Amino acid sequence: MMNPSRKLAPALIACLAIALFAASPAAAAGGLTPSPASLDLGSQDIHNGNSPSQPTNLSNNTGGTLNVSSVAITGTNQADFSIPSNDCATVPDGGSCNVYVQFDPATPGVKSATLEVTDNLGTTSVPLTGTGQTGTLSGSSPTFNPQPFLYGSQSQNADITNASSYAATAMTASISGPDAAFFSIDYNGCNFTLYPSNNCSIGVRFSPIAPGTKTAQLELANDGTESPLIIPLSATALGGPVVVLSPPSHDFGTIAVGSSSPTQIFKLSNTGDFPLQIQQLLVLSGTPQIFPVSGDACSQQFVLPGGSCTFEVAFTPEKAGERDAAIYVISNQTGPAGTVPLTGVGVLRPEGSVSLSGPATAGRKIACKPRGYPQGTRFSFSWLKGSKLVRGETGSKLPLSDSDVGKRVRCRVQASNSVGTQTVTSPTSAAIGPQDLSRAGGSLVSQAVCRAVQAPRRLAAAGVGIAVNRGVPVTPWATLDLVSAGRSMQAWIDGRLVGSGVGRIAIYPRALNRFTDGVHTLKVRVGATRTTARIGLSPCQLTARLEGGPAAPSSLIISSAAGMKDPRVRLPGRLRLVTATARVGRVSVKVGGRPSQTFPLFGARTTSNGISVILGARSIRVRGLPAETGNVRFRFGAGVLNGSGGTIRASAFLRGTKARTGSRSPASWRR
């Protein structure tokens, strides 16, 4: 009979083996025991590829042979770890094998994964860790040279440096910020990986269009610790050197031929913000030798902002007549060269003759024409009708009226200059003939009689106020006025001189006719200062103005830039036209700015020389005007218009249109 204890021995041994196997953690996870139990592969630059291999040794202490079926990496960052080699296949009892691990992070930061070795008893896990590292880029702002904006753009480098211990890859560069439009990237020399101590440059271009300081920022995208890398941009564009000449021009006056005037000292100042380089002073004229430059302390010199230099000029005429020239300052000034207009007159004794010009016809003007006199001669005029002096007529033209028909006229001229005087009388004119308005046709003023003007009410030049008073519209009787009390002024439109004066400049339609409809530049100089404004010009189709008062002579003007016919003016209810059958006064009709026809008012209809004026209780109508008529003026004697004013209304057929055009304007009563 078998011993019971011998029967229990194999079963007891099996139970103990199972208990021991269950108690061993390595056996429960897998048959292999790792050493070390975890791997830290340290810090690795994300740009440098794989780290050196690190092994983990796996030993078999199970008492039997283990067959390894797989060696793999799992976990959150498994792609950042790799197994270049291992020798784990069949591991005998008491033997071991090695698994080699490498770390190649794609992005910076702490990475983790698990090495899993699976055998016939289970899976052994080895925790893996490592840290991805990247560098830090820094940059310096480009330094732009302050220079005049008209010199064009300039490019400077923003220098990028990697002063850290790791590499960083620079990518795209862009510009942002409030003035980004004034900066651009010329080239990106940093589109690569910068290793420690590497550097590169990005070309930045500054392209100003006006003076001033502009700011923006250069942004460089990269995979370093600071992305994007922000580099401040700041650049200042200067206005440039500005030449100011004092005096701005000079008239040497009348100088005897063959002699020389006293020298005039000119001061050249740089009022800009950049050094002025003067190459030379160039005198341009038909005969520059008559304006010799001396004492030139400006040519071939640099004048700093706020600085100045001087030179002298004289006038030495070689023959009689007016001479002019200009001194051009050839320099690095942006814009037109600085100039000094020079004028002078060489004088001979005045000797010449005078004649009459123009038709001897009522309604026209006959002109007195001096001939053969040196330039610069001053003339004073007087007129004779028969043997009698015409009082009040001292101009070069004499208006002829209906009362002059049949008479003959002469003009008398006193010519003088700084060296003498001559008085001469013209031949007698032919007998003055009557005018014929019905045949005036296109000879009347037709176009651009009036212009509508949009302009600021006030300008300022270095603290000096300039009032802009404009008629609405600008007509021969309402000018565009520039007023600055006691100041000497000059005005230009688009660079053309349109007027000058002291205290007031009156700009008439004749001056505005040279400019097309649209926006123009008005420049006004007061002394040595200038100011600029924008003005708008447009045609006015039909305008009406009424000036006067119940107890004073009154003028009613109708004006059109396009020519008109058959105009009609209606007076408001508070303003009446006195047209009783008895004679109540005289009215004159002026057509196209020509001298008027004058006739008495007897009733509702008056005809004069082909023009019919129909007078109603509150309206006036004109018939029979030539088609090219530009304006019509009525002048009423005192007492013909009565009432308290109001708004007048005018209408007419304009040349080239079939529809009647209207206009309205308040009556302006002079008290």
Side-chain angles (χ1 to χ4, degrees):
M1 187 173 185
M2 184 180 292
N3 188 343
S5 62
R6 294 184 64 183
K7 291 182 179 180
L8 292 174
L12 180 61
I13 292 172
C15 289
L16 289 174
I18 293 172
L20 289 173
F21 183 79
S24 172
L32 297 172
T33 302
S35 177
S38 63
L39 282 180
D40 182 359
L41 284 88
S43 295
Q44 178 66 17
D45 194 319
I46 64 175
H47 308 89
N48 287 347
N50 289 310
S51 68
S53 298
Q54 291 192 34
T56 179
N57 181 263
L58 299 156
S59 58
N60 181 3
N61 301 310
T62 62
T65 300
L66 295 177
N67 295 315
V68 177
S69 59
S70 70
V71 178
I73 295 176
T74 63
T76 304
N77 305 119
Q78 63 179 5
D80 294 322
F81 297 85
S82 63
I83 302 172
S85 64
N86 74 88
D87 56 5
C88 294
T90 300
V91 184
D93 182 34
S96 65
C97 66
N98 292 291
V99 177
Y100 293 88
V101 180
Q102 290 180 327
F103 178 43
D104 184 10
T107 59
V110 176
K111 312 295 180 181
S112 62
T114 302
L115 171 64
E116 293 185 348
V117 181
T118 303
D119 56 41
N120 50 299
L121 293 181
T123 299
T124 301
S125 297
V126 179
L128 305 176
T129 58
T131 303
Q133 298 286 359
T134 187
T136 302
L137 299 182
S138 60
S140 62
S141 298
T143 301
F144 293 96
N145 301 320
Q147 67 181 33
F149 73 98
L150 287 177
Y151 281 16
S153 62
Q154 58 172 303
S155 180
Q156 299 291 343
N157 289 339
D159 295 325
I160 311 300
T161 302
N162 183 357
S164 65
S165 300
Y166 299 95
T169 299
M171 292 170 284
T172 59
S174 61
I175 293 176
S176 63
D179 300 314
F182 299 99
F183 297 88
S184 61
I185 296 174
D186 263 358
Y187 64 90
N188 182 359
C190 296
N191 196 4
F192 64 93
T193 299
L194 280 78
Y195 290 92
S197 300
N198 283 174
N199 53 61
C200 61
S201 297
I202 298 175
V204 180
R205 183 168 295 277
F206 175 51
S207 303
I209 61 174
T213 297
K214 306 298 180 182
T215 58
Q217 62 186 29
L218 172 65
E219 298 186 7
L220 178 61
N222 64 89
D223 64 2
T225 60
E226 294 184 13
S227 181
L229 173 63
I230 304 298
I231 299 176
L233 302 176
S234 178
T236 299
L238 304 178
V242 177
V243 173
V244 175
L245 292 155
S246 178
S249 63
H250 187 67
D251 184 354
F252 288 93
T254 56
I255 302 298
V257 173
S259 63
S260 180
S261 71
T263 58
Q264 171 65 40
I265 299 176
F266 291 88
K267 181 180 179 181
L268 190 157
S269 302
N270 179 9
T271 62
D273 52 12
F274 193 76
L276 175 68
Q277 181 182 8
I278 304 173
Q279 298 176 20
Q280 70 176 116
L281 304 177
L282 181 61
V283 181
L284 294 182
S285 167
T287 52
Q289 66 271 17
I290 66 175
F291 291 98
V293 177
S294 61
D296 181 5
C298 296
S299 295
Q300 305 298 317
Q301 300 296 318
F302 278 91
V303 180
L304 298 178
S308 63
C309 60
T310 61
F311 59 91
E312 301 177 9
V313 182
F315 174 47
T316 59
E318 298 176 346
K319 58 182 180 179
E322 183 176 351
R323 298 289 181 269
D324 56 52
I327 296 180
Y328 283 74
V329 180
I330 309 301
S331 69
N332 63 335
Q333 174 179 254
T334 54
T339 60
V340 180
L342 304 173
T343 57
V345 180
V347 180
L348 295 175
R349 185 175 298 277
E351 294 180 357
S353 62
V354 65
S355 62
L356 296 177
S357 175
T361 305
R364 306 290 295 275
K365 291 183 179 181
I366 192 167
C368 185
K369 298 289 187 180
R371 302 180 186 278
Y373 289 96
Q375 291 185 2
T377 302
R378 299 181 300 276
F379 301 102
S380 60
F381 300 89
S382 58
W383 292 88
L384 299 169
K385 290 182 180 178
S387 60
K388 294 184 178 180
L389 184 68
V390 181
R391 296 192 177 187
E393 294 293 345
T394 58
S396 62
K397 295 182 179 180
L398 177 66
L400 302 176
S401 64
D402 292 343
S403 61
D404 296 324
V405 174
K407 297 180 182 179
R408 299 175 186 271
V409 299
R410 293 176 295 162
C411 73
R412 181 174 294 163
V413 173
Q414 185 180 73
S416 61
N417 60 19
S418 59
V419 296
T421 300
Q422 181 194 38
T423 301
V424 63
T425 302
S426 73
T428 304
S429 72
I432 298 171
Q435 66 173 325
D436 185 0
L437 290 177
S438 64
R439 297 183 181 179
S443 65
L444 299 173
V445 175
S446 59
Q447 296 188 29
V449 173
C450 65
R451 300 294 292 275
V453 178
Q454 291 179 312
R457 289 292 183 182
R458 188 172 181 83
L459 306 176
V464 177
I466 304 170
V468 181
N469 303 318
R470 61 182 187 274
V472 183
V474 175
T475 70
W477 299 276
T479 58
L480 175 63
D481 292 339
L482 306 174
V483 181
S484 184
R487 302 282 183 171
S488 177
M489 297 185 294
Q490 290 179 307
W492 295 264
I493 296 179
D494 293 347
R496 294 183 179 180
L497 183 67
V498 294
S500 61
V502 177
R504 175 176 176 265
I505 298 176
I507 304 176
Y508 290 85
R510 182 186 300 271
L512 297 180
N513 289 351
R514 295 179 290 174
F515 306 97
T516 59
D517 297 332
V519 179
H520 300 271
T521 299
L522 171 67
K523 180 180 291 185
V524 182
R525 185 174 71 186
V526 181
T529 62
R530 291 180 173 85
T531 185
T532 301
R534 306 288 278 177
I535 65 171
L537 298 179
S538 58
C540 45
Q541 288 189 319
L542 186 71
T543 60
R545 291 174 62 85
L546 177 61
E547 298 178 349
S554 304
S555 292
L556 173 62
I557 308 109
I558 312 170
S559 179
S560 168
M564 62 179 171
K565 59 181 179 178
D566 298 334
R568 181 195 297 270
V569 181
R570 184 169 181 81
L571 303 174
R574 293 175 296 173
L575 183 67
R576 63 184 182 276
L577 178 65
V578 180
T579 56
T581 56
R583 182 170 178 171
V584 295
R586 300 179 70 82
V587 61
S588 63
V589 181
K590 181 176 287 189
V591 180
R594 305 292 178 176
S596 65
Q597 287 285 315
T598 303
F599 49 87
L601 290 175
F602 287 103
R605 183 180 176 84
T606 302
T607 302
S608 174
N609 203 11
I611 300 177
S612 300
V613 181
I614 303 172
L615 304 173
R618 293 190 323 193
S619 66
I620 305 171
R621 184 177 181 184
V622 180
R623 287 180 174 173
L625 289 177
E628 296 295 315
T629 302
N631 55 69
V632 178
R633 181 186 180 108
F634 300 88
R635 184 170 178 81
F636 302 98
V640 177
L641 289 177
N642 285 307
S644 58
T647 301
I648 63 171
R649 292 174 172 82
S651 63
F653 288 104
L654 300 186
R655 177 171 57 84
T657 64
K658 296 180 179 180
R660 184 176 288 274
T661 302
S663 175
R664 64 176 59 190
S665 176
S668 176
W669 297 98
R670 292 195 298 267
R671 299 297 181 184

